[in-house]
Amino acid sequence: MTTGQSADATLRVGAEDPVLSTRLSEELTAFNNDATGAHDDRGLSVRVTDEAGELVAGLVGWTWGGCAGISEVWVRADRRHEGWGPAWCTPPRTRPWRAAARR
């Protein structure tokens, strides 16, 4: 039976840990880069602003190996139901961030 401890390791459960998150991301990226030969990982952001420059919607994610992944999507409450969120997952609005993934 696994208890979460051994003579030289201890399992700890806690709240959000930015340092751990960064370390895991770096380790996984290094492993995947070595395994595939792809070394083109980058962050990705898409921002929609209104005429006043205020944020209407946004998307953040990553690109790597010719692919893109979405981490978070947000649309301001008064602009929901305009199609900003779902539209980023269907053509033609996906073209800009898909192109960014291929660069």
Side-chain angles (χ1 to χ4, degrees), residues 1 20 25 28 39 56 62 66 71 79 83 87 95-96 101:
M1 181 172 118
L20 178 61
S25 180
L28 288 168
H39 294 275
V56 169
W62 51 265
S71 301
R79 301 297 294 262
R95 289 189 187 120

Side-chain angles (χ1 to χ4, degrees), residues 16 53-54 64 71:
E16 181 179 8
E54 295 297 320
W64 175 79
S71 301

Side-chain angles (χ1 to χ4, degrees), residues 33 59 72 90 102:
N33 287 348
L59 175 152
E72 297 175 316
T90 58
R102 286 191 288 272

Side-chain angles (χ1 to χ4, degrees), residues 5 8 20 24 35 37 40 49 51 62 65-67 87-88 94-96 100:
Q5 292 186 320
D8 63 346
L20 178 61
L24 294 179
D40 59 350
T49 55
E51 303 82 25
W62 51 265
C67 299
W88 283 325
T94 59
R95 289 189 187 120

Side-chain angles (χ1 to χ4, degrees), residues 75 79-90 93:
V75 180
R79 301 297 294 262
R80 293 181 184 153
H81 307 291
E82 291 181 8
W84 287 110
W88 283 325
C89 298
T90 58
R93 286 193 180 145

